[in-house]
Amino acid sequence: MALPAQLKAIQHHLRTAQEHDKRDPVVAYYCRLYAMQTGMKLDSKTPECRKFLVKLMDQLETMKKELGDNDSINQEVVGNAHIENYALKMFLYADNEDRAGRFHKNMIKSFYSASLLLDVLSVFGELSEENIQHRKYARWKATYIHNCLKNGETPQAGPIGMDEDEEAGEYGAEGFSGQGFSYGASFRGDQNQSLGPGQAPGIGFTPSPGSGPSGPPNTNFNNIHIPPGAHAPANTPAELPPPTGGVQLSPEDFTKAQKYCKYAGSALQYEDVGTAIQNLQKALKLLSTGKE
């Protein structure tokens, strides 16, 4: 069934879902859930949109039954960790390539795809300020680098200025269309991990004229924060203070510790030992001292 024009804003999330049906069904499920929730807000009244969204709901119900035993579907905190780890690994791959001055279609796609998956995190609640910044930066970078290469210019490597008003999410997504090229590059972090089973989403890029900046504007992104653990070698555990007696833990502390353990479990699904160790260390420190 063709996507109604009123729902164009969710086309790339739906494409990402389709590409992950076999590669990572959890990612596919939450991409469709995001698309449905967003689509309902865009237009749930006109007959064509209503018909499309009802079909999407049916598809989600079917997927939920098929994935019924998967903790990432049954438990929000696990699902949240799964999608966030996936998105940030993709971001890290593109960021590493960018900082090394290696500009190519794969890294552009990876920046943009990471921004789409950070959109998807909103199904679990409001995005953290950190993820909002990652999303904005990744989407802008995808547009900026694409336009530079298209115009025969050499992009500036690494974090650079960005116009505060330049929310590239809307500019970039507007003109992007899938060209179907895939990539199998592995993430070049300390673990040199690939993005789990299969390859990362293949999102093609064809920005419409003027869809993004042709040169670096103003706001300074030199201090953009890469998520904790992204560059941490597995063999350099953080120093932990010795356990202290009589630590009073609040319900919030237990919830946070549980979240760190879930994040670690999700990271291990991708054999990302460094991130798993760091999250387990955070949980241990919190439970030992009552402090993060």
Side-chain angles (χ1 to χ4, degrees):
M1 183 176 177
L3 180 71
Q6 302 94 310
L7 303 181
K8 185 179 178 182
I10 61 174
Q11 63 179 333
H12 299 291
H13 303 90
L14 289 173
R15 184 179 294 126
T16 302
Q18 189 175 16
E19 290 165 348
H20 280 79
D21 278 328
K22 293 182 180 178
R23 187 180 305 162
D24 190 322
V26 171
V27 171
Y29 175 82
Y30 282 113
C31 283
R32 286 195 177 95
L33 182 59
Y34 171 85
M36 187 198 71
Q37 292 179 353
T38 304
M40 293 288 286
K41 295 173 186 174
L42 291 171
D43 187 341
S44 62
K45 295 181 180 179
T46 58
E48 58 178 341
C49 290
R50 191 171 186 81
K51 186 176 180 181
F52 184 90
L53 292 170
V54 167
K55 184 178 179 182
L56 188 54
M57 287 180 199
D58 291 342
Q59 194 173 10
L60 281 165
E61 282 301 315
T62 300
M63 291 186 74
K64 194 167 186 178
K65 289 176 183 176
E66 292 173 350
L67 299 170
D69 296 333
N70 193 311
D71 285 345
S72 292
I73 302 299
N74 297 325
Q75 300 179 41
E76 278 199 2
V77 67
V78 184
N80 191 343
H82 186 105
I83 301 301
E84 186 171 37
N85 281 341
Y86 198 102
L88 294 182
K89 269 185 168 294
M90 196 173 289
F91 179 96
L92 177 61
Y93 161 72
D95 186 63
N96 283 343
E97 291 293 281
D98 178 35
R99 290 169 188 261
R102 291 190 290 269
F103 306 109
H104 49 84
K105 289 179 179 178
N106 295 342
M107 61 92 73
I108 295 171
K109 288 188 302 180
S110 195
F111 264 136
Y112 187 63
S113 299
S115 77
L116 294 176
L117 292 174
L118 290 170
D119 286 340
V120 171
L121 282 178
S122 65
V123 304
F124 303 104
E126 291 187 17
L127 295 186
S128 67
E129 183 59 35
E130 181 178 77
N131 281 335
I132 289 172
Q133 290 301 313
H134 277 87
R135 179 178 63 179
K136 185 174 183 178
Y137 179 78
R139 212 165 280 186
W140 178 81
K141 262 289 186 178
T143 306
Y144 164 65
I145 294 172
H146 179 276
N147 286 345
C148 283
L149 297 182
K150 182 180 178 182
N151 296 330
E153 302 169 3
T154 301
Q156 289 191 30
I160 53 177
M162 171 179 159
D163 191 334
E164 198 62 70
D165 297 326
E166 212 69 78
E167 179 58 59
E170 299 305 321
Y171 296 90
E174 188 63 29
F176 290 141
S177 64
Q179 297 171 348
F181 45 77
S182 61
Y183 68 100
S186 62
F187 289 87
R188 211 184 43 79
D190 297 289
Q191 305 301 318
N192 194 30
Q193 299 294 331
S194 62
L195 184 70
Q199 297 172 328
I203 301 293
F205 291 85
T206 311
S208 52
S211 63
S214 59
N218 301 321
T219 302
N220 194 328
F221 268 76
N222 287 327
N223 295 321
I224 186 166
H225 179 61
I226 301 302
H231 296 291
N235 59 355
T236 55
E239 293 184 12
L240 290 174
T244 56
V247 174
Q248 295 296 317
L249 298 174
S250 68
E252 290 77 14
D253 291 332
F254 285 108
T255 300
K256 287 179 182 177
Q258 183 185 38
K259 186 170 78 168
Y260 286 135
C261 291
K262 298 293 186 184
Y263 280 4
S266 181
L268 287 174
Q269 291 183 0
Y270 297 112
E271 301 179 2
D272 186 350
V273 178
T275 300
I277 288 176
Q278 192 159 76
N279 278 291
L280 289 171
Q281 287 171 339
K282 288 180 180 179
L284 181 59
K285 180 179 179 181
L286 180 60
L287 293 172
S288 300
T289 67
K291 298 177 182 179
E292 292 190 76

